[in-house]
Amino acid sequence: MLDNPRPAVPIDESSVRYEGWRIVAVCFLLATFGWGLGFYGQSVYVAELQRAHGWSASLISSATTFFYLFGALLVVFVGETVNKYGPRLGLIAGTLAMSAAAVAIGAVREPWQLYLANAVLAFGWAGTSLAMITNTISLWFDHKRGMAISLALNGASFGGIVGVPLLVMLIGQVGFAGAMYTAAGAMLVLLVPVILLLVSSPPDIHGRNAAAKAKPQSSAQIRAWALRDVGFLTVTIAFALVLFAQVGFIVHLISFLDPVIGRERAAVAVAVLTAMAVVGRVLFSLVIDRLNQRLASALSFLCQAAALCVVINLHNDYVLIAACAVFGFSVGNLITLPSLIVQQEFDSTSFGVLISLNTAINQVTYAFGPGVVGALRDFSGGYALPFYLCIALEVMAAALIMVRGHTRRATSSA
């Protein structure tokens, strides 16, 4: 159980003095390192390990796939871990694991060590990414949860925009191992004191203790119920399909654009896509708690599908960059919306378990996105076929997300 949560009291979540906004700042910093080292950093590791050891891209990429799949298995249990040990211990454990992983990756000399390092990285990813952040923020926010999660997850984009270039610059100065050790040290020095100082016991904003005593239910029971519930399944499958398409498209974007508009403008297109993800997340955060979130999700999917259609068929430089901007506008929100739909449609006491399960299923699915897109590209001799598959998945997801079903509260089942 959470360590001595404070009694339920009226809380003004919109007040700038509310302590929950300090938690958002902590989660922003956590996401910066989590995505910088755990997600965007993967492209750096592939290049550096190939250069240093001459290993094949397939060997290194298979270790990355192992990281995503093993990480997804661990993510399932993040919600109950936070529930049992509290957010402070969870955040510190994630920070320590990610720092240890950075050191391990810098020290890799043999292929088996790469798999071991990625196993440690999976623990770090589980403790610093979406499931940990949404579970932590849910303990402080109810009415403003959408805004809080959106703002915190801007750290993910910051990790890609700022963190990766800094890592590359460090590699140039002190070498790959030295850069990874420095990144690990910086994470420990910055995050551990901040977590200890700012993260305390959360307020009991949902009356969790009373609800738990009245209707006890294990995490295994909640997961079993969720996997039979139409409302949960439509949310999870729809976002799994979209993230499969989204990650597959983004990973292959430069390879597609390079022969069409040149590497320089291809890089600009990717930068615009990433920047628009931040803009979209910030603007959306202002209204996200007042929207029909299933409808907002469906419209986001369809906008991405339309942008993909433009990318495939129109090869004007500025049109392609504009299409990437449209695609990017909803990229950030697609990792925020599932948690808001789960919050809105299911009991608050089951939120942690459900969003961890949702995140794990999504991660398993999108781990195969780049590989499938690449295989279809090789099979067909171009990107039209795989990108049209991505469009089809986006459209299917837009229809599926609108099927809500007759949702029962998970805590009411036996």
Side-chain angles (χ1 to χ4, degrees):
M1 293 293 291
L2 292 172
D3 298 332
N4 301 317
R6 286 167 287 166
V9 292
I11 291 172
D12 181 9
E13 295 178 10
S14 61
S15 171
V16 294
R17 291 181 291 182
Y18 176 48
E19 64 178 316
W21 297 112
R22 297 200 298 270
I23 307 303
V24 171
V26 172
C27 288
F28 178 96
L29 190 58
L30 187 80
T32 299
F33 281 98
W35 265 266
L37 293 174
F39 185 80
Y40 295 108
Q42 288 288 345
S43 60
V44 178
Y45 309 153
V46 170
E48 289 300 318
L49 291 171
Q50 273 188 299
R51 184 188 59 78
H53 304 292
W55 297 339
S56 67
S58 60
L59 169 66
I60 302 171
S61 297
S62 67
T64 301
T65 300
F66 165 73
F67 153 70
Y68 280 124
L69 296 179
F70 184 47
L73 177 65
L74 299 174
V75 162
V76 172
F77 303 102
V78 167
E80 56 204 274
T81 300
V82 172
N83 231 18
K84 184 174 182 179
Y85 297 106
R88 178 190 281 180
L89 270 180
L91 294 171
I92 288 177
T95 299
L96 294 177
M98 184 60 80
S99 299
V103 171
I105 290 170
V108 162
R109 296 294 179 269
E110 301 290 338
W112 69 266
Q113 294 172 341
L114 178 60
Y115 281 88
L116 181 60
N118 271 286
V120 179
L121 187 65
F123 279 96
W125 176 250
T128 59
S129 59
L130 183 63
M132 178 60 73
I133 288 170
T134 53
N135 271 281
T136 298
I137 287 177
S138 73
L139 300 175
W140 273 268
F141 288 92
D142 185 14
H143 302 299
K144 293 291 182 181
R145 186 180 295 176
M147 175 181 285
I149 292 174
S150 294
L151 293 176
L153 288 177
N154 277 320
S157 299
F158 193 72
I161 295 169
V162 176
V164 171
L166 284 176
L167 185 61
V168 171
M169 183 184 72
L170 270 174
I171 290 170
Q173 296 294 318
V174 298
F176 180 57
M180 296 306 292
Y181 302 157
T182 302
M187 187 174 187
L188 290 174
V189 169
L190 287 172
L191 265 172
V192 172
V194 167
I195 293 169
L196 291 173
L197 285 171
L198 298 183
V199 181
S200 58
S201 297
D204 190 17
I205 60 174
H206 301 296
R208 294 171 188 274
N209 289 340
K213 289 176 183 176
K215 300 175 181 179
Q217 189 177 36
S218 70
S219 298
Q221 287 175 312
I222 294 172
R223 282 193 287 267
W225 166 85
L227 292 174
R228 299 190 303 268
D229 181 78
V230 172
F232 180 80
L233 288 175
T234 56
V235 171
T236 301
I237 295 172
F239 278 95
L241 294 176
V242 167
L243 290 172
F244 177 97
Q246 178 172 287
V247 173
F249 169 69
I250 291 173
V251 166
H252 287 269
L253 183 55
I254 286 185
S255 297
F256 169 75
L257 291 177
D258 189 3
V260 178
I261 61 175
R263 183 164 292 268
E264 274 190 24
R265 290 190 177 178
V268 169
V270 174
V272 167
L273 186 152
T274 307
M276 286 301 292
V278 177
V279 172
R281 192 185 280 124
V282 171
L283 293 179
F284 215 50
S285 71
L286 302 175
V287 297
I288 198 169
D289 292 304
R290 301 194 295 272
L291 296 177
N292 178 328
Q293 286 148 5
R294 282 186 180 261
L295 179 59
S297 300
L299 293 175
S300 296
F301 302 165
L302 293 175
C303 282
Q304 286 198 343
L308 270 171
C309 195
V310 171
V311 166
I312 295 169
N313 292 290
L314 299 176
H315 292 170
N316 175 274
D317 296 12
Y318 298 107
V319 171
L320 283 171
I321 292 172
C324 288
V326 172
F327 188 95
F329 187 80
S330 58
V331 162
N333 295 317
L334 296 190
I335 62 173
T336 306
L337 281 163
S339 62
L340 302 184
I341 296 172
V342 170
Q343 172 205 9
Q344 188 178 68
E345 298 184 6
F346 300 91
D347 193 277
S348 61
T349 56
S350 62
F351 175 84
V353 174
L354 293 178
I355 198 57
S356 296
L357 179 60
N358 173 280
T359 303
I361 293 171
N362 288 347
Q363 185 167 317
V364 168
T365 307
Y366 74 64
F368 294 98
V372 171
V373 169
L376 288 175
R377 188 265 175 209
D378 292 342
F379 170 77
S380 64
Y383 278 106
L385 176 62
F387 285 178
Y388 274 122
L389 171 65
C390 291
I391 290 172
L393 294 177
E394 299 260 13
V395 173
M396 287 169 55
L400 188 60
I401 194 67
M402 297 307 296
V403 180
R404 177 170 176 170
H406 300 288
T407 304
R408 294 184 295 124
R409 296 293 185 178
T411 52
S412 66
S413 61

